[in-house]
Amino acid sequence: MQITRVSSSSPKPELTELPALGMDAKSIAEDFRRHFNRTLGRDRRCKSAFYMYEALVLALRDRLMERWRATRYAYDEEDCKRVYYLSMEFLIGRTLGNAMLNLGLCHEVEQGLHDLGVLLEEVQEAELDAGLGNGGLGRLAACFLDSCATLQLPVRGYGIRYQYGMFRQRVEDGQQVEEPDHWLRNGNPWELERPEFTQRVHFGGRSEGYRDASGQLRFRWVDTHDVLAVPYDIPVPGYRNGTVNTLRLWGAAATDEFDLGEFNAGDYAGSVEAKNAAEHISMVLYPNDASENGKELRLRQQYFLASASLKDVLGHWTFSHGDNFSQFAQKNCFQLNDTHPTIAVAELMRLLMDEAELGWDEAWQITSTTMAYTNHTLLPEALEKWSVRLFRQLLPRLLEIIYEINARFLQQVALKWPGDTDRLRRMSIIEEGPDPQVRMAYLAVVASFSVNGVAELHSQLLTDGMFRDFSALWPDKFNNKTNGVTQRRWLAWCNPGLRDLLSATIGEGWVADLEQLAQLQQYVDDEPFQGRWRAVKQENKRRLAQWVKRECGVVFDPTALFDVQVKRIHEYKRQLLNALHVIHLYDRIKQGDTADWTPRCVLIGGKAAPGYAMAKGIIKFINKVAQVINHDPDVGGLLKVAFLPNYRVTAMEIICPGTDLSEQISTAGKEASGTGNMKFMMNGAVTIGTLDGANIEIREAAGAENFFLFGLTAEEVEAARANYDPQAIINGDEALARVLALIESGHFNQFEPGLFDPIIAAIRSPSDPWMTAADFRGYVEAQRRAATAFRDVQGWTRMSIINSASSGRFSTDRTMREYNAGIWQLDNVAPLAVEASSPL
Ligand code: 26Q
């Protein structure tokens, strides 16, 4: 990989050049004041935190703007290869702190505001989370962008500018209540609208064949209903390197003629309806992190993203290369974040054939060498399928193309395995039946040159299971890219105490090179260092306890073991197993079995998909159990349980620094990777977990003695399924029998009989897919080992330090280097010097 520095003597427009903006406290304070007073028209009589926040964003944005332009110029002048990360979700959270950190302005901003008598912390609290994602997959996309900008890789994110992000969760009488998240209510000062790059996206209509001038049969898509896609750009700064990449989010808008036609015909209400229908496309994020199959609006969203983004890229290409596509595949790559944007495969074919007038072979050559697909799930119910009928109605031309891709693909299969009709049926992109379906994952695999899973076990299970036939056909396509998280947000920003201790001990290098944390190994037994490590953790636990008190009204004692499980609520993630353990501890307390007790505070948080009844039942269960335990005078300080409402990115920024024990307890073989597990590890939490997803790699890195392992392996889970007998397990385990008896007695649902019947039935069911009862004993024992270990203060500190010291591998900087070496093959490109880039 070569580092390219674009010469500042390269030709550039010769108009007025602005001097670069000052990066000192005084300049920032001046700009802050100017924006507050003049741009926003506020004064000391209106010192609302929101306008101060906005003024500060504008001051920082000015500084990003010049670097953004310099980066763009460098990419254009270099004519470098680029990657487009297509994702329905970018779970960004807050941007202010990240911008300050990456611009290297934390102290300067704090000082500048302080000099004006303004408290930075208050200003920060005015920023809402950009909750444009459900969970892991969306947050991963945001971490990827941070790392790509830091590595100076020309990668651009493409997504949707949802008006409403992930719903806000309130808890009322233990129950989840959803509220819309109108995060754009006060505007978004980070974004830059770019109406000049508006694209037109087609829906409906029909496909029509015709002969072109040379007599060649071609197709056009006619009588369509069109929607405009308007881009909003968000700057993505690298860590102190002058690079600013772009996240381009599309907002939907009605075309003029769409509503004017009806308006002129006198149908005023109808014309507004049409406008609404168009704008509905980017109205709301689907709050479902498994599947919401078959919803027309969801397919509209997916095509909207794919079509607008591809047109944008092709527009840029033809602007500089005309209609010559011979180099296109060498210079462009699309990374599909799960199957959600996979319709891009057919759309690229359509654009190349119907609009750029290429032949099938040439178009396929380009498509199948520019598309790469990342899978994030093994759950069969999460596999996307679209009914052919819906496809035909909404995207008729795309369906034709998919059929043709499938026909040619099946020919290839038939050639390799003559006469194997069962294999043809299994591998077909079209699932036949009374209501035929398009299998999006198969379309993605067939059209991509790379298919990757997100942890070693997950990638292995993909080629052994779901994609077995495909892996036999194309073994070289399949690869693993273990996930990561960005240490800028998940350590340097969210844990200032640990950041300062680390930097004082091993220098600041780890912020851009996480493997340097390995240098901590030499301090593992250094008592003064251990003391400082504990002091930092203690302070973070105090901060977390304060927050839990405010959000849940439950008092946590910072000297207790902080045991935390935060993630989406899902049966496979087994929050239920956690709750059973909590009840078991409660039962022990009630029996007086409390010799050598380790006081413990259990925190559980996460959102349930609004339509997922069982997940909502689990939330209610946890809340009711917490209520009983927290109010039982026999329990006192031995055990506290809190359900944290509205878990989100900003909540995790406070939670992970203050956690001792990280719960990663999914049924083995079900969690593709997990990324929360990595955030906790980095911040010195010890994991209790199964051999699932990236837990396996975490344990390898930290050493088995620094990880609390329990449970069946993925293989054992599948082997045990056929003869799974939870009743026998319950009969043979007194503790579990007592826990179930207590639940069945109605102890946790005094006034709502039958409330937890579905939960009890799930645990007792021989067809429980998550085999909760099977892992109970192992889990309780692992928890006992953890509790005992925690009372050895030095021993625990050692484990904590070792976990953090071994987390170097779990930086998205490493993940992105691997994507680049194995899939993208981009050169690093540094921006033009800031002062050399002309503003006009
Ligand atoms: C699908 C169809 C219709 C509506 C919504 C969806 C949908 C939306 C989001 C399906 C899945 C998701 C999100 C999945 C997800 O977050 N998966 C997680 O990805 C992480 C990053 O790779 C992994 O660490 C987790 O293990 C995996 O569960």
Side-chain angles (χ1 to χ4, degrees):
M1 213 184 308
Q2 100 215 39
I3 303 283
T4 317
R5 191 159 281 285
V6 178
S7 129
S8 56
S9 64
S10 44
K12 58 179 186 286
E14 291 296 335
L15 289 168
T16 42
E17 287 186 13
L18 295 171
L21 294 171
M23 299 294 274
D24 54 294
K26 189 158 162 282
S27 315
I28 291 165
E30 273 169 15
D31 284 354
F32 169 81
R33 262 176 58 169
R34 182 171 54 78
H35 282 301
F36 189 74
N37 288 327
R38 299 222 261 269
T39 313
L40 303 173
R42 312 286 142 167
D43 53 53
R44 69 175 58 130
R45 290 188 192 177
C46 163
K47 245 189 161 183
S48 94
F50 177 75
Y51 291 109
M52 291 196 284
Y53 156 71
E54 210 157 35
L56 179 57
V57 174
L58 293 174
L60 292 174
R61 209 182 76 165
D62 290 345
R63 283 154 179 82
L64 287 169
M65 213 51 94
E66 48 197 22
R67 289 163 178 76
W68 207 355
R69 185 185 313 115
T71 306
R72 235 175 9 241
Y73 280 11
Y75 292 170
D76 280 347
E77 288 202 18
E78 194 70 1
D79 193 19
C80 54
K81 181 174 185 184
R82 295 169 209 232
V83 161
Y84 310 98
Y85 197 76
L86 303 188
S87 178
M88 291 287 283
E89 307 191 4
F90 286 91
L91 221 186
I92 310 170
R94 286 180 176 165
T95 296
L96 178 57
N98 191 245
M100 280 164 38
L101 180 76
N102 284 10
L103 281 169
L105 291 176
C106 290
H107 295 301
E108 290 74 4
V109 168
E110 198 169 359
Q111 183 66 49
L113 291 191
H114 176 267
D115 294 344
L116 296 171
V118 174
L119 218 68
L120 174 58
E121 218 169 291
E122 274 175 34
V123 173
Q124 277 166 193
E125 288 310 305
E127 180 167 15
L128 298 176
D129 271 39
L132 308 184
N134 273 283
L137 165 151
R139 181 56 232 177
L140 186 75
C143 284
F144 278 9
L145 294 186
D146 181 77
S147 284
C148 288
T150 296
L151 297 173
Q152 305 196 306
L153 295 173
V155 174
R156 163 184 287 195
Y158 276 111
I160 294 181
R161 181 179 179 268
Y162 301 107
Q163 298 272 353
Y164 293 86
M166 189 62 201
F167 66 82
R168 268 204 312 271
Q169 177 196 56
R170 278 192 304 114
V171 173
E172 240 173 57
D173 188 27
Q175 206 128 32
Q176 165 171 301
V177 177
E178 301 94 12
E179 283 175 350
D181 164 44
H182 197 184
W183 72 291
L184 286 170
R185 192 177 36 237
N186 301 316
N188 174 11
W190 294 108
E191 72 186 9
L192 195 67
E193 188 178 354
R194 306 297 299 271
E196 66 273 34
F197 298 120
T198 295
Q199 305 293 339
R200 179 178 279 262
V201 178
H202 309 302
F203 291 100
R206 61 198 166 79
S207 171
E208 185 179 84
Y210 70 101
R211 299 267 164 203
D212 69 9
S214 62
Q216 164 110 41
L217 179 62
R218 297 207 165 273
F219 293 88
R220 57 187 161 215
W221 188 3
V222 298
D223 298 338
T224 52
H225 292 281
D226 295 353
V227 173
L228 299 181
V230 183
Y232 293 78
D233 288 356
I234 295 178
V236 182
Y239 180 68
R240 301 195 191 181
N241 62 7
T243 288
V244 178
N245 281 342
T246 300
L247 169 58
R248 178 161 283 185
L249 300 179
W250 299 103
T255 57
D256 283 346
E257 60 270 41
F258 197 62
D259 43 336
L260 267 184
E262 279 159 306
F263 190 86
N264 293 337
D267 181 5
Y268 306 126
S271 73
V272 177
E273 229 169 76
K275 179 172 156 61
N276 282 343
E279 288 172 5
H280 269 152
I281 290 178
S282 58
M283 193 63 75
V284 56
L285 167 80
Y286 272 87
N288 200 317
D289 70 337
S291 70
E292 178 103 34
N293 273 332
K295 293 280 191 310
E296 178 184 331
L297 181 59
R298 171 78 179 179
L299 184 57
R300 279 186 190 271
Q301 290 184 336
Q302 295 183 348
Y303 180 65
F304 175 76
L305 167 66
S307 181
S309 309
L310 287 175
K311 286 187 167 184
D312 200 41
V313 171
L314 290 186
H316 188 262
W317 179 264
T318 45
F319 182 77
S320 43
H321 299 83
D323 57 7
N324 180 358
F325 283 87
S326 59
Q327 300 289 306
F328 185 83
Q330 275 107 290
K331 296 280 191 180
N332 297 281
C333 176
F334 301 94
Q335 189 73 41
L336 306 173
N337 199 19
D338 215 298
T339 51
H340 315 156
T342 292
I343 187 60
V345 165
E347 176 67 357
L348 183 55
M349 288 297 288
R350 186 186 74 80
L351 292 170
L352 292 174
M353 292 189 304
D354 299 1
E355 297 193 5
E357 307 203 319
L358 268 49
W360 179 280
D361 292 334
E362 215 182 334
W364 182 250
Q365 179 59 31
I366 289 173
T367 302
S368 59
T369 50
T370 53
M371 294 284 169
Y373 158 53
T374 305
N375 174 287
H376 296 264
T377 185
L378 289 156
L379 302 182
E381 64 268 32
L383 284 183
E384 277 198 298
K385 290 175 187 174
W386 292 105
S387 100
V388 165
R389 182 189 40 76
L390 175 63
F391 238 104
R392 185 173 294 119
Q393 180 195 317
L394 204 63
L395 306 167
R397 177 64 185 129
L398 287 113
L399 182 64
E400 285 178 354
I401 291 170
I402 292 171
Y403 269 122
E404 183 69 24
I405 292 173
N406 195 37
R408 290 171 185 244
F409 161 62
L410 291 179
Q411 247 170 32
Q412 223 181 313
V413 176
L415 218 60
K416 180 155 171 118
W417 290 285
D420 194 344
T421 49
D422 189 57
R423 191 184 292 265
L424 287 175
R425 184 193 50 73
R426 278 200 320 262
M427 293 181 79
S428 174
I429 295 170
I430 306 296
E431 180 181 284
E432 295 300 345
D435 180 22
Q437 308 276 319
V438 184
R439 296 161 164 162
M440 299 307 274
Y442 290 5
L443 177 59
V445 172
V446 169
S448 298
F449 67 92
S450 163
V451 178
N452 74 282
V454 290
E456 278 164 20
L457 173 69
H458 171 232
S459 299
Q460 188 61 50
L461 293 174
L462 283 180
T463 49
D464 289 352
M466 199 157 115
F467 297 144
R468 193 193 173 93
D469 291 327
F470 294 89
S471 146
L473 183 59
W474 297 308
D476 297 341
K477 257 193 206 191
F478 294 85
N479 62 93
N480 174 248
K481 297 285 172 284
T482 298
N483 283 167
V485 302
T486 169
Q487 72 269 28
R488 263 82 59 191
R489 180 177 297 258
W490 297 114
L491 187 50
W493 171 252
C494 74
N495 196 343
L498 196 54
R499 174 228 294 149
D500 292 345
L501 176 58
L502 291 172
S503 296
T505 311
I506 60 169
E508 287 185 13
W510 60 272
V511 183
D513 174 13
L514 199 65
E515 296 282 3
Q516 290 189 26
L517 287 187
Q519 293 172 42
L520 285 178
Q521 296 286 2
Q522 61 192 103
Y523 297 92
V524 160
D525 293 306
D526 177 327
E527 287 190 19
F529 181 76
Q530 287 182 343
R532 288 196 287 274
W533 187 273
R534 268 197 302 278
V536 168
K537 182 59 85 178
Q538 208 53 37
E539 171 57 24
N540 290 332
K541 288 172 74 175
R542 211 190 42 74
R543 186 168 65 141
L544 175 54
Q546 244 177 26
W547 206 65
V548 168
K549 172 89 205 328
R550 206 186 60 211
E551 302 291 317
C552 326
V554 178
V555 178
F556 276 11
D557 172 359
T559 63
L561 170 65
F562 277 22
D563 167 350
V564 180
Q565 186 177 25
V566 285
K567 50 183 76 222
R568 288 302 289 265
I569 309 292
H570 244 289
E571 288 163 281
Y572 85 80
K573 294 177 188 279
R574 296 200 296 194
Q575 281 91 357
L576 209 44
L577 182 59
N578 189 346
L580 295 184
H581 171 249
V582 166
I583 295 170
H584 166 65
L585 291 181
Y586 172 64
D587 181 44
R588 279 182 56 196
I589 294 170
K590 295 299 274 187
Q591 290 189 80
D593 174 16
T594 56
D596 297 328
W597 191 266
T598 305
R600 187 191 286 255
C601 297
V602 179
L603 184 66
I604 302 176
K607 293 174 182 174
Y612 188 173
M614 190 64 180
K616 289 180 137 179
I618 291 170
I619 290 179
K620 177 119 191 182
F621 183 59
I622 293 166
N623 276 285
K624 290 289 163 183
V625 168
Q627 208 174 37
V628 169
I629 293 178
N630 296 336
H631 290 98
D632 189 325
D634 294 346
V635 175
L638 297 182
L639 179 62
K640 289 275 194 254
V641 187
F643 182 86
L644 180 92
N646 203 30
Y647 173 62
R648 61 198 186 281
V649 171
T650 297
M652 187 56 153
E653 291 175 10
I654 296 162
I655 293 167
C656 68
T659 295
D660 295 310
L661 188 62
S662 154
E663 299 270 353
Q664 308 300 336
I665 60 178
S666 51
T667 310
K670 300 300 170 191
E671 188 70 273
S673 159
T675 45
N677 46 5
M678 301 169 183
K679 294 165 199 165
F680 284 117
M681 180 196 201
M682 235 171 240
N683 285 276
V686 184
T687 304
I688 181 164
T690 49
L691 286 177
D692 200 14
N695 295 354
I696 297 173
E697 292 157 72
I698 285 177
R699 178 165 171 270
E700 262 164 27
E705 65 285 9
N706 301 301
F707 185 107
F708 297 100
L709 177 71
F710 73 94
L712 301 178
T713 64
E715 243 175 295
E716 288 166 350
V717 164
E718 290 321 314
R721 235 180 244 304
N723 304 309
Y724 182 50
D725 183 359
Q727 194 53 52
I729 295 172
I730 295 162
N731 293 341
D733 185 339
E734 199 201 331
L736 180 54
R738 291 182 58 90
V739 165
L740 283 172
L742 194 57
I743 302 169
E744 281 163 348
S745 76
H747 189 68
F748 303 107
N749 53 314
Q750 300 274 352
F751 304 105
E752 295 170 272
L755 185 62
F756 301 133
D757 288 359
I759 286 178
I760 297 161
I763 298 167
R764 289 189 174 281
S765 165
S767 56
D768 171 17
W770 323 113
M771 306 228 260
T772 303
D775 278 345
F776 179 80
R777 179 66 1 226
Y779 183 51
V780 166
E781 279 164 12
Q783 286 285 17
R784 223 188 234 267
R785 282 182 270 130
T788 306
F790 188 71
R791 272 182 292 118
D792 168 6
V793 172
Q794 272 208 339
W796 187 273
T797 309
R798 250 185 125 258
M799 282 205 280
S800 169
I801 298 170
I802 292 172
N803 265 277
S804 186
S806 328
S807 68
R809 204 169 158 253
F810 303 105
S811 165
T812 36
D813 296 347
R814 188 269 313 150
T815 312
M816 292 295 84
R817 281 203 186 87
E818 288 183 3
Y819 272 80
N820 196 38
I823 307 174
W824 301 341
Q825 265 129 29
L826 300 169
D827 289 327
N828 308 86
V829 180
L832 286 158
V834 168
E835 52 283 355
S837 62
S838 161
L840 284 172

